[in-house]
Amino acid sequence: VSLWIGNNDVLGYATSGGDGSNPITPVDGAVGVGFTNTYNYLVNTLFPAGTTRKGIIANIPYVTTIPFFNRVPHNPLTTTVLGSGDAAAGAANVTALNSGLYGPLKQALTAFGAGDRINLLSATQANPLLIKDVSLTNLSAQLTAALTPSLGLATATAFGQIFGQARQATSQDLVLLTTSSVIGTAPVGAPASINKYGISFPLENKHILTKTEVENTKVATDAYNAVIKSAAEGKGLAFVDANAKMAELSSQSGIQYDGVRYTATFVTGGTFSLDGVHLTGRGYALIANEFMRVINQKYKSTLPMVNINNYSGVTFP
């Protein structure tokens, strides 16, 4: 019997940007609610006391290592991008954004001790995306009051609501693959002067996995994996450290097989399909070999390895 479950208990949360629509499965709770009791119930059902049934179980990789979270950089806003292919126009847009939005926002936020949330855009370096971070103290009321004299109450109120939890992304935030098609588009109902997602209007919680949310996925995965490892040891089962294998695949050197280097890089790495989440035929063959290697080691069997290179590469989801 093989058992490899638990990825989706974290993945749904991560691919929805941790926006609350798909929460992480709690570690504790009754069977059907909490991960620990549910997982142990399954294992005890498959491998009851006294059984001679053999089995293999695998732990859960950190979902944030897959291409879905690593393809789009946190700082894609060059002058070429901001100018829709025209660097000179982009430089002019940088000047306009700094004087009309980023400068006033930074000045106001600095007065409230939160000036590090926003920096002026650069015309010579790639700039980070503008995002909403719900873990930040909401400064909507303060911004509204500070901007009312110059913008009027109605506009200042709108700006306060929009930018009260806004900041620029850092390398510790992960931009979802699906967000690439959102950057630069117009949010519904946004004022014309600030109607570009990620540039003049903050990307929403569902578009970004923030540093805090990344840590949430790691904490949950570590807890799940402790449960899985304990179950494997308690039942004397073969155990695949899929998390370590994914870390190896995600490293710069990747995994070498018969002259081919496989990595977790989007498209070119050869192991992930175009949705950035699911494996290709070669990716699954790589995992299958790891399962069979561990089975052979544990049970002294002689299952033959498959030739990874004979399977399909990049596929559409």
Side-chain angles (χ1 to χ4, degrees), residues 7-25 63-64 66 68-69 132 134 174-179 203-210 213-214 216-217 275 277:
N7 290 281
N8 287 340
D9 290 80
V10 178
L11 183 63
Y13 168 87
T15 55
S16 60
D19 68 353
S21 63
N22 200 338
I24 295 175
T25 299
V63 296
T64 51
I66 65 178
F68 187 86
F69 300 101
K132 180 178 182 178
V134 296
L174 301 180
V175 185
L176 310 190
L177 180 62
T178 48
T179 299
L203 288 164
E204 298 174 30
N205 191 19
K206 65 182 179 181
H207 298 134
I208 302 286
L209 201 65
T210 64
E213 292 162 344
V214 170
N216 290 343
T217 68
D275 67 358
V277 175

Side-chain angles (χ1 to χ4, degrees), residues 101-113 115 118 120 143 146:
L101 179 62
Y102 283 77
L105 276 177
K106 183 168 181 63
Q107 183 178 13
L109 289 169
T110 299
F112 308 136
I118 300 290
L120 296 180
L143 281 176

Side-chain angles (χ1 to χ4, degrees), residues 33-81:
V33 176
F35 185 90
T36 301
N37 284 328
T38 304
Y39 193 88
N40 286 332
Y41 174 81
L42 290 172
V43 171
N44 288 329
T45 300
L46 291 168
F47 306 100
T51 186
T52 58
R53 182 179 295 160
K54 297 179 175 65
I56 183 168
I57 60 179
N59 68 4
I60 306 165
Y62 292 137
V63 296
T64 51
T65 59
I66 65 178
F68 187 86
F69 300 101
N70 297 288
R71 171 61 176 174
V72 184
H74 77 283
N75 59 341
L77 304 181
T78 62
T79 53
T80 301
V81 170

Side-chain angles (χ1 to χ4, degrees), residues 61-178:
Y62 292 137
V63 296
T64 51
T65 59
I66 65 178
F68 187 86
F69 300 101
N70 297 288
R71 171 61 176 174
V72 184
H74 77 283
N75 59 341
L77 304 181
T78 62
T79 53
T80 301
V81 170
L82 291 171
S84 300
D86 185 336
N93 285 338
V94 166
T95 300
L97 285 165
N98 282 340
S99 62
L101 179 62
Y102 283 77
L105 276 177
K106 183 168 181 63
Q107 183 178 13
L109 289 169
T110 299
F112 308 136
D116 59 342
R117 294 186 184 184
I118 300 290
N119 289 309
L120 296 180
L121 298 178
S122 170
T124 58
Q125 297 180 345
N127 296 286
L129 294 164
L130 187 63
I131 68 172
K132 180 178 182 178
D133 184 346
V134 296
S135 70
L136 295 177
T137 299
N138 195 331
L139 298 176
S140 294
Q142 294 91 327
L143 281 176
T144 296
L147 296 173
T148 294
S150 59
L151 300 179
L153 180 59
T155 302
T157 299
F159 273 52
Q161 292 173 344
I162 293 168
F163 298 106
Q165 291 178 298
R167 67 171 174 85
Q168 287 166 311
T170 73
S171 59
Q172 294 176 304
D173 302 308
L174 301 180
V175 185
L176 310 190
L177 180 62
T178 48

